[in-house]
Amino acid sequence: MTQGATDTAHAARSAAASLADARPVPYWLDDPGRPAALPALTGAERCDLLVVGGGYSGLWTALIAKERDPGRDVVLIEGREVAWAASGRNGGFCAASLTHGLPNGLARWPGELRALEELGARNLDAIEGAVARHGIDCHFERTGEIDVATAPHQLAELAALKDEAEAAGITGLELLDRDAVRAEVDSPTFLGGLQDRRGVALVNPAALAWGLKRACLGLGVRIYENTPGLALARSGAGVAVRTPYGAIGARQAALGTNVFPSLLRRVRPYTVPVYDYALVTEPLTPAQLASVGWRGRQGLGDSANQFHYFRLTADNRVLWGGYDAVYPFGGRLDAGRDQRPETFLKLATHFFRCFPQLEGVRFSHAWGGAIDTCTRFAAFYGTAHQGRVAYAAGFTGLGVGATRFGADVMLDLLSGEPTERTGLEMVRRRPVPFPPEPLAWAGIGLTKWSLARADATAGRRNLWLRTLDRLGLGFDS
């Protein structure tokens, strides 16, 4: 056996050993302070505004609706428990970006980008304000983020992105060379980085959702958990939603179901589910943390198409996620896909390649979950039933922050009054829907293969990716 093969085998054994005690549950939800579920709806209910979905989209919509009009009667229903799905399973990156990052915004809405960035910054400030105002203990840290280059071609891409951003009037990005980025967080794989000091906060995502739930209840929102919405229909001057043990009549409704099938059948082709996975380490010792640095506690993400995101938790664990994005044929959701050992092993191997000084650290939790994505990789919006129903979907993993903006948009649309938000092209136009199966499966699979190939060939995009770019369907991580 060659030395290279020996090293590879040792790395695989070490990565596997690090997973031996990992609990197969989301770290954030494995919390003794997790609130008990509220009772399910039984019988008939009426309200002014019905919010369907107890993730961030629904919680922000209910909260802002009551803040705008304390007299509005608001009911929120959640199919399981608040925070059990994507809102309690994500990495806790609360970004100002409404466009799934600058590259996607520059490609799709160049004329609106400066306004979108300003709206996004105001939205993140509003989240910070709400956390303070309602006393939400979610470890909110406005630490910023560094996009790191781990391959030479990515250095040029980050420099070009900074230039494009400045040409569009976007400032505040700082280009870091190898020594500068490693002075922030030390990894032998880091060649440089692009730092945004104010555009990202880190949170405990489940605690944020639980805090929003408590704030909603404090303002008089009635919340029913374990109450899925089964069907939506017109009812008199409003709409009605049927649930397993009852029904709710409402003057208006806001749908925040995201990855789950929309109650509006015509919206369903616009999103597909993608499974994302993450690991969390045991708490680092002071010596282990010192070996990495990370005194600024920034969020990090690498710049590959198949990228990792990583951050410190409040007790100095490292959350390490991303890379694999698994689309199930037919878009079928299945809790069995929340555990994927081959992905966990891959992630653990990559972790120790990034931080060899942490060899011997073990992972305490390993989990996955589904997020919704659309062909433009940023949320889209709309109304139905003659303006009585509004929806937002397609956040593609950046919903921790952008869902609050989406809540504002839905409430604006339901009001019928034009606003700065509803005038945006991003709000007025929908993405291209996904094709039916098996075309969706084949297209997504070919795109994933092409993106991996681009990562392996200095970023060169093949004919398939260039065609998607020309059609406005190009993926940018």
Side-chain angles (χ1 to χ4, degrees):
M1 183 180 290
T2 65
Q3 184 60 48
T6 300
D7 291 344
T8 299
H10 171 75
R13 287 194 299 271
S14 295
S18 73
L19 293 163
D21 300 319
R23 288 174 53 78
V25 293
Y27 166 69
W28 311 111
L29 298 178
D30 191 18
D31 184 337
R34 182 175 180 170
L38 294 169
L41 172 71
T42 58
E45 182 72 271
R46 295 201 63 81
C47 59
D48 295 326
L49 174 66
L50 170 62
V51 179
V52 182
Y56 295 135
S57 285
L59 292 165
W60 280 119
T61 302
L63 183 67
I64 296 171
K66 291 294 284 187
E67 290 178 334
R68 288 188 183 188
D69 179 3
R72 187 174 347 199
D73 186 21
V74 180
V75 168
L76 182 149
I77 60 172
E78 160 56 37
R80 292 278 293 273
E81 296 181 29
V82 163
W84 82 275
S87 294
R89 296 168 184 258
N90 62 82
F93 286 68
C94 186
S97 178
L98 306 174
T99 62
H100 204 268
L102 272 175
N104 200 46
L106 285 163
R108 299 183 191 281
W109 304 284
E112 288 185 347
L113 186 61
R114 188 165 184 176
L116 287 167
E117 289 291 300
E118 290 173 356
L119 286 166
R122 281 157 41 191
N123 183 65
L124 183 54
D125 289 343
I127 293 171
E128 185 170 13
V131 166
R133 185 168 64 255
H134 294 289
I136 299 174
D137 183 12
C138 62
H139 304 138
F140 188 98
E141 299 180 89
R142 194 81 173 254
T143 56
E145 183 178 35
I146 303 175
D147 291 327
V148 296
T150 56
H153 72 274
Q154 295 167 8
L155 291 170
E157 292 172 354
L158 291 177
L161 175 58
K162 181 176 184 292
D163 290 343
E164 287 184 74
E166 290 178 346
I170 311 302
T171 59
L173 299 178
E174 180 183 356
L175 204 60
L176 306 178
D177 63 16
R178 178 182 179 277
D179 291 340
V181 74
R182 291 190 64 174
E184 297 290 342
V185 183
D186 191 16
S187 166
T189 67
F190 294 175
L191 306 179
L194 188 63
Q195 181 162 241
D196 178 356
R197 294 185 181 274
R198 291 286 298 168
V200 174
L202 298 179
V203 299
N204 176 322
L208 173 60
W210 296 331
L212 291 172
K213 172 185 174 181
R214 189 179 68 252
C216 285
L217 292 170
L219 293 181
V221 177
R222 301 196 302 285
I223 297 177
Y224 298 98
E225 294 180 271
N226 293 304
T227 303
L230 303 178
L232 180 151
R234 284 284 300 275
S235 176
V239 295
V241 170
R242 180 168 53 85
T243 69
Y245 307 123
I248 307 170
R251 188 168 59 84
Q252 296 177 319
L255 306 183
T257 51
N258 293 296
V259 76
F260 299 98
S262 176
L263 292 178
L264 299 170
R265 187 171 294 275
R266 71 169 183 259
V267 175
R268 295 179 188 176
Y270 289 93
T271 64
V272 296
V274 175
Y275 280 81
D276 184 42
Y277 297 91
L279 306 173
V280 162
T281 70
E282 62 192 355
L284 300 187
T285 66
Q288 288 169 334
L289 186 58
S291 75
V292 179
W294 223 334
R295 289 176 294 277
R297 299 183 59 83
Q298 307 95 327
L300 287 97
D302 61 51
S303 301
N305 292 308
Q306 291 185 287
F307 65 98
H308 306 88
Y309 53 86
F310 39 117
R311 50 139 325 164
L312 292 171
T313 66
D315 59 349
N316 291 329
R317 301 169 188 263
V318 181
L319 182 146
W320 176 266
Y323 197 79
D324 276 349
V326 179
Y327 168 69
F329 183 86
R332 289 188 292 271
L333 296 170
D334 180 358
R337 293 192 174 94
D338 293 350
Q339 291 293 307
R340 196 166 193 265
E342 60 267 42
T343 291
F344 298 146
L345 184 60
K346 189 182 300 181
L347 284 173
T349 302
H350 295 174
F351 175 83
F352 292 112
R353 186 181 304 154
C354 181
F355 295 121
Q357 64 270 48
L358 296 181
E359 184 172 1
V361 167
R362 298 172 78 86
F363 294 100
S364 62
H365 295 76
W367 74 94
I371 60 174
D372 65 329
T373 189
C374 63
T375 56
R376 71 184 194 188
F377 313 108
F380 63 94
Y381 312 91
T383 62
H385 292 283
Q386 296 180 309
R388 294 173 175 85
V389 177
Y391 59 85
F395 290 94
T396 316
L398 257 68
V400 181
T403 44
R404 187 196 174 279
F405 177 82
D408 264 330
V409 170
M410 285 194 284
L411 292 170
D412 288 351
L413 292 171
L414 290 173
S415 77
E417 298 294 326
T419 68
E420 181 181 17
R421 289 177 286 263
T422 60
L424 294 167
E425 180 186 354
M426 170 193 256
V427 172
R428 291 185 289 106
R429 296 189 179 181
R430 286 189 299 225
V432 176
F434 287 94
E437 296 292 14
L439 296 178
W441 169 264
I444 291 170
L446 179 56
T447 301
K448 285 182 60 180
W449 178 86
S450 299
L451 290 168
R453 183 172 177 82
D455 284 338
T457 57
R460 289 191 293 274
R461 297 172 78 82
N462 64 15
L463 178 61
W464 175 253
L465 294 179
R466 294 197 303 273
T467 300
L468 293 180
D469 291 340
R470 285 194 295 271
L471 294 174
L473 303 176
F475 179 85
D476 196 300
S477 61

